[in-house]
Amino acid sequence: MERGNSTVVTEFILLGLTQSQDAELLVFVLVSLFYIVILPGNFLIILTIKSDPGLAAPLYFFLGNLAFLDASYSFIVSPRMLVDFFSEKKVISYRGCITQLFFLHFLGAGEMFLLVVMAFDRYIAICRPLHYATVMNPRACYALLLALWLGGFAHSIVQVALILHLPFCGPNQLDNFFCDVPQVIKLACTDTFVVELLMVSNSGLLTLLCFLGLLASYAVILCRVKGHSSEGKSKAIYTCTTHIIIVFLMFGPAIFIYTRPFRAFPADKVVSLFHTVIFPLLNPVIYTLRNQEVKASMIKLLSQYVVC
C-alpha cells in the first residue's frame, strides 16, 4: 500500500457530527444562534478597546488580540460545518483539508501562546508593579505579539509538513465534521506510529506543558497577593480567576484530543465541537463580562451609536 510520499487521494469525505438528521438540525439551530449573537460581540470588544484611550493598558491590548484570534478561529470550522448540514455528501478537497488543518493549529497555538503572554503580564502587574511600565512597554507588547504569531506558525507548519509526507491512497472517509490531525493520520497508507508520536509531542506535550505552566504561574500570583491590601487582593483574585477559567476552557479539550494516542472515543466529536466552535467565541466574552472597565466602555460606545 505504501507509495513513497505520493498522494493519490484528492478529496476527503466528512462523515459529519452525527448521522441523525434531527440531531443535526438541533445543532445547526443552536450553533447558528450562538454564532450570530456571540461573534458580533467579539468584534464589539475589539472596537471598544481600539476606540477608548482609557483601555490602552497591555491587558486590554492582549484582550483585543484574543478576541481577534478567537473570531478568526471560529471561521475555520463553523461556516463549513453549518453548510455541510444541508449537504448530502460532505466533501473537502485534499488541499482544502490541509489548509483547514494549518489554520486550525496556527490560530489555536497562537491563542495558547497568547494566554501564556497574558499570564506573564498579570505576573509582572501583580508581583512586580514598580517594574510593570518598564517591562510591559508598547515595544515589548508588540514583540511578544510577534513571537506568539511566529510560534503558532512554527507549530502549525510542523504539523502540515508531517501530514504532507504521508501517502494517501484510500480510504478517504474522515470520521469528523472537519479536518484534524488524529483523523487524517489514520487514513495514511503506511505505518504512522512514528508520525503519531511526533504529533503527540508537538501538540499534546506542548499543550500539557503550557497548561501546567499557566496553573503554576497563577498559583504563584495568588500566593503573592496574600500580602496586598484587601481591595488589591480581591481585584487580583478576580482577574486571575477569569484567566484560570479561560485556561481550562482552552486547554481542557485540547489536552483530551492531543495528549493521547490517536484512537477514537465516543466523546471526541462533542469535545471537538466545543473546542473549535463554542469555547473560542466564549473566551473574550467571559473576559469582558468579568471586567468592569471594558463593560463600562462598551456601554458608553453603544449608547453613543444609539443616540446618533
Side-chain angles (χ1 to χ4, degrees):
M1 293 288 289
E2 190 171 344
R3 303 182 184 180
N5 65 347
S6 60
T7 301
V8 176
V9 171
T10 58
E11 64 182 25
F12 294 106
I13 298 173
L14 302 173
L15 297 184
L17 186 64
T18 176
Q19 300 303 310
S20 169
Q21 291 186 346
D22 292 336
E24 280 198 340
L25 181 60
L26 176 62
V27 172
F28 173 81
V29 172
L30 293 177
V31 171
S32 297
L33 290 173
F34 189 83
Y35 206 68
I36 292 170
V37 172
I38 303 296
L39 185 60
N42 282 288
F43 291 114
L44 180 59
I45 292 169
I46 298 171
L47 180 62
T48 301
I49 293 172
K50 286 289 185 183
S51 61
D52 189 347
L55 299 178
L59 172 64
Y60 305 115
F61 171 75
F62 292 127
L63 175 57
N65 280 277
L66 178 68
F68 174 76
L69 271 173
D70 280 329
S72 302
Y73 192 83
S74 69
F75 281 110
I76 300 172
V77 174
S78 301
R80 184 181 183 90
M81 181 187 71
L82 294 174
V83 171
D84 281 345
F85 280 144
F86 297 99
S87 303
E88 188 173 338
K89 189 177 182 181
K90 305 171 179 63
V91 178
I92 184 170
S93 68
Y94 175 80
R95 289 184 178 181
C97 181
I98 296 300
T99 301
Q100 187 179 63
L101 191 149
F102 169 79
F103 282 105
L104 189 74
H105 285 269
F106 175 40
L107 297 177
E111 181 175 351
M112 180 175 67
F113 295 140
L114 178 56
L115 292 177
V116 173
V117 170
M118 293 177 78
F120 175 73
D121 171 73
R122 289 301 84 201
Y123 173 81
I124 300 297
I126 295 170
C127 301
R128 299 285 188 272
L130 297 179
H131 300 91
Y132 184 72
T134 304
V135 175
M136 299 303 295
N137 59 73
R139 181 177 294 181
C141 290
Y142 281 108
L144 288 169
L145 188 64
L146 177 62
L148 70 89
W149 279 102
L150 291 176
F153 179 81
H155 163 77
S156 187
I157 208 69
V158 170
Q159 302 281 90
V160 170
L162 291 172
I163 292 289
L164 290 175
H165 185 69
L166 295 173
F168 294 95
C169 46
N172 66 338
Q173 289 187 335
L174 283 173
D175 189 18
N176 211 340
F177 56 94
F178 67 102
C179 283
D180 200 6
V181 173
Q183 294 78 29
V184 174
I185 281 184
K186 287 300 182 183
L187 299 182
C189 305
T190 186
D191 182 15
T192 60
F193 175 78
V194 175
V195 177
E196 286 187 36
L197 196 61
L198 290 172
M199 292 291 191
V200 169
S201 63
N202 185 31
S203 290
L205 184 60
L206 181 64
T207 303
L208 185 60
L209 289 176
C210 286
F211 175 71
L212 295 176
L214 285 168
L215 291 185
S217 68
Y218 284 118
V220 170
I221 293 172
L222 291 174
C223 288
R224 289 291 187 93
V225 299
K226 287 183 178 179
H228 290 198
S229 64
S230 58
E231 183 180 351
K233 183 191 296 185
S234 61
K235 186 175 182 180
I237 291 174
Y238 195 76
T239 302
C240 288
T241 302
T242 305
H243 285 228
I244 292 169
I245 291 171
I246 301 302
V247 166
F248 273 99
L249 291 179
M250 171 70 185
F251 285 88
I255 289 171
F256 177 83
I257 295 168
Y258 299 115
T259 57
R260 56 181 170 81
F262 294 154
R263 297 174 186 172
F265 284 87
D268 281 353
K269 291 183 181 181
V270 176
V271 173
S272 294
L273 177 66
F274 279 92
H275 182 55
T276 58
V277 179
I278 306 299
F279 289 157
L281 292 173
L282 272 180
N283 289 346
V285 175
I286 293 173
Y287 267 112
T288 303
L289 291 177
R290 293 177 63 86
N291 189 295
Q292 297 299 327
E293 290 82 0
V294 178
K295 278 198 297 185
S297 181
M298 189 178 295
I299 292 171
K300 181 180 178 182
L301 180 67
L302 288 173
S303 63
Q304 288 177 348
Y305 279 101
V306 170
V307 171
C308 293

